[in-house]
Amino acid sequence: MTLRQINRCFIFRNRSIYISSMKPFSLGVELKNYEIPPEELMEPQIPPYKEKTDEPLKLKKARLLYQSRKRGMLENDLLLASFAAKYLQSMTSEQTKLYDRLINLPSNDWDIYYWAVGIKPTPAEFDNEIMNLLKQHVQNKDRESRVRQPDLQ
């Protein structure tokens, strides 16, 4: 890479959307707007979560155990997998519903992590007994080793 400026043109459906100028060794990208991209191209859309109302409790718990282990970021994989292994089987139907909403409604897993460790305040819709239990679990007062996910039973 040379020290001169590098221009890149992004193509979508055989037409250029915009050209960005990237300066080597810089932290940012300077955009020259020749054409403003449509809003749907700016950020991927995540479909809204639809609660499964007719799902049997045993099947719901199995799904939530899997979803707790496969979050897409290691921090939440470890926290939620160990939490689910410890508490999920003893949860009531209502608690299971709250846990389902907690791990599936937020579109950003970092939000769940920040709420659980106390970096960000928990929004009112998720501030419930399950979130309080998760926050206690994150504190790890028993000093359990959580460097890998618990084995499946």
Side-chain angles (χ1 to χ4, degrees):
M1 186 184 303
T2 64
L3 292 178
R4 64 185 169 83
Q5 211 171 1
I6 299 170
N7 289 327
R8 297 189 189 252
C9 180
F10 296 93
I11 308 294
F12 179 75
R13 294 187 185 156
N14 297 324
R15 66 186 184 118
S16 62
I17 295 174
Y18 57 87
I19 297 176
S20 70
S21 301
M22 186 169 63
K23 297 176 183 171
F25 309 111
S26 71
L27 296 176
V29 175
E30 214 179 287
L31 293 179
K32 294 180 184 175
N33 292 323
Y34 290 101
E35 185 178 330
I36 298 174
E39 178 115 2
E40 64 269 6
L41 297 179
M42 302 276 288
E43 188 173 317
Q45 297 295 315
I46 298 173
Y49 176 68
K50 294 178 184 165
E51 268 186 72
K52 298 176 168 117
T53 55
D54 58 346
E55 185 176 32
L57 186 60
K58 186 175 179 179
L59 183 62
K60 181 180 272 194
K61 288 183 177 185
R63 175 178 57 81
L64 291 173
L65 180 62
Y66 176 82
Q67 289 176 335
S68 297
R69 297 174 61 87
K70 305 293 183 187
R71 299 306 302 171
M73 60 180 268
L74 182 60
E75 292 86 347
N76 276 356
D77 289 348
L78 294 172
L79 289 177
L80 294 176
S82 60
F83 177 80
K86 189 172 185 177
Y87 297 107
L88 187 61
Q89 290 309 314
S90 63
M91 286 184 189
T92 65
S93 178
E94 185 59 33
Q95 290 172 326
T96 305
K97 181 179 178 181
L98 292 173
Y99 184 63
D100 187 10
R101 293 175 53 79
L102 173 65
I103 69 170
N104 286 307
L105 279 181
S107 63
N108 186 346
D109 262 9
W110 280 109
D111 287 339
I112 299 170
Y113 178 78
Y114 290 146
W115 300 334
V117 299
I119 293 175
K120 287 184 178 179
T122 307
E125 67 179 305
F126 300 113
D127 197 9
N128 54 46
E129 62 181 306
I130 297 300
M131 180 51 103
N132 292 335
L133 193 59
L134 178 60
K135 287 178 181 180
Q136 288 174 4
H137 179 74
V138 166
Q139 291 175 0
N140 197 13
K141 292 183 179 177
D142 296 333
R143 300 284 186 205
E144 298 169 342
S145 175
R146 296 182 185 159
V147 294
R148 66 182 203 87
Q149 292 187 11
D151 295 329
L152 291 172
Q153 302 283 331

